[in-house]
Amino acid sequence: MTGSDVSPSFRLVYVPGVMPDKWVRIWNERQPDVPLALTQVAAGAVAERLLDGDADAGLVRLPVDRTVFSAIPLYTEQTVVVVPKDHLVTAVDEVSPEDLADDIVLHPLDDVLDWESLPGRPAVERPATTADAIELVAAGIGVLVVPLSLARLHHRKDLTHRPLKDAPESSVALAWPQDTTTDQVEDFIGIVRGRTVNSTRGRKQPDESAATDRGGARRKPVPGKSAAGRSAGAKRSGKSGRGAPKGGDRRGKPRRRS
């Protein structure tokens, strides 16, 4: 797909926990004629949606297949452990994996953290989803380690969370298929990277000399109206800039002949 083959809308998918509100707002301000279609999908379904052409770009969790996708890392999230409010670890500001040695640490099938060795004791079965695991934590069956955004997404009044040090972290990125980098994708890249609307990076900006007065181009000086033009005109006419006669053309009484 070339830069000119654009769809009537920009289709963006995003994974649970990612909040694209700020970028969506900026897009709507800069591209009022191009609607942004926003869809939340499971982390494991993003790649398929992008490769099938169901979306132009996605806010995903790394890693992604870099042989297929281009990706721009945006930020890395803090990892936390979600526990009941009466859990012992709520007495501290930060938790270590060793503090969870006696706990059942739930490991949902949609976990987005790349564990080498999960802390604590394993559950008999893995919950299908993070939402299911949250319900088990509330029931006092175990604890759950997730990125901070997912802890906030599944917030409950009877649960709380604490930072977990020495744990894997999840990074969020903007990704899109390498062979479908459209102008709209380039525009959204500029937004997530914080570029201004007049930035010269990213999409090629229109030639200033081709812009019209209505579009904000500089107006050409009208001949004879500029300061330089007035000065040159004054010199050619033999008049000073103040308009007073200079030399010749004196007026007064004629001299009497002797």
Side-chain angles (χ1 to χ4, degrees), residues 1-2 50-51 68-70 176-182:
M1 182 179 294
T2 64
L50 292 174
L51 292 176
V68 178
F69 296 103
S70 298
W176 67 96
Q178 291 181 358
D179 58 350
T180 56
T181 306
T182 66

Side-chain angles (χ1 to χ4, degrees), residues 128-182:
T129 66
T130 297
D132 293 335
I134 289 289
E135 294 296 328
L136 294 176
V137 175
I141 295 176
V143 300
L144 176 65
V145 179
V146 291
L148 177 58
S149 66
L150 290 180
R152 290 173 172 169
L153 179 66
H154 298 286
H155 171 73
R156 290 176 52 125
K157 292 182 178 180
D158 53 347
L159 302 180
T160 188
H161 56 78
R162 290 291 185 274
L164 179 64
K165 62 182 181 180
D166 300 327
E169 295 177 322
S170 176
S171 296
V172 174
L174 175 68
W176 67 96
Q178 291 181 358
D179 58 350
T180 56
T181 306
T182 66

Side-chain angles (χ1 to χ4, degrees), residues 12 27 35 52 60 66 70 123 160-161 165 178 182 199 219 221 233 243:
L12 181 71
W27 175 275
D52 287 348
V60 306
R66 292 302 186 98
S70 298
T160 188
H161 56 78
K165 62 182 181 180
Q178 291 181 358
T182 66
S199 173
R219 294 178 179 270

Side-chain angles (χ1 to χ4, degrees), residues 12-20 23 40-48 50 57-66 69-80 108-114 130 145-154 168-176:
L12 181 71
V13 293
Y14 68 102
V15 297
V18 175
M19 302 298 291
W23 299 320
Q40 179 176 292
V41 298
V46 173
E48 182 179 357
L50 292 174
L59 295 171
V60 306
R61 293 190 182 276
L62 295 176
V64 296
D65 186 350
R66 292 302 186 98
F69 296 103
S70 298
I72 298 175
L74 301 176
Y75 59 88
T76 298
E77 288 195 66
Q78 184 182 55
T79 301
V80 301
L109 295 175
D110 63 355
D111 183 27
V112 297
L113 298 174
D114 186 18
T130 297
V145 179
V146 291
L148 177 58
S149 66
L150 290 180
R152 290 173 172 169
L153 179 66
H154 298 286
E169 295 177 322
S170 176
S171 296
V172 174
L174 175 68
W176 67 96

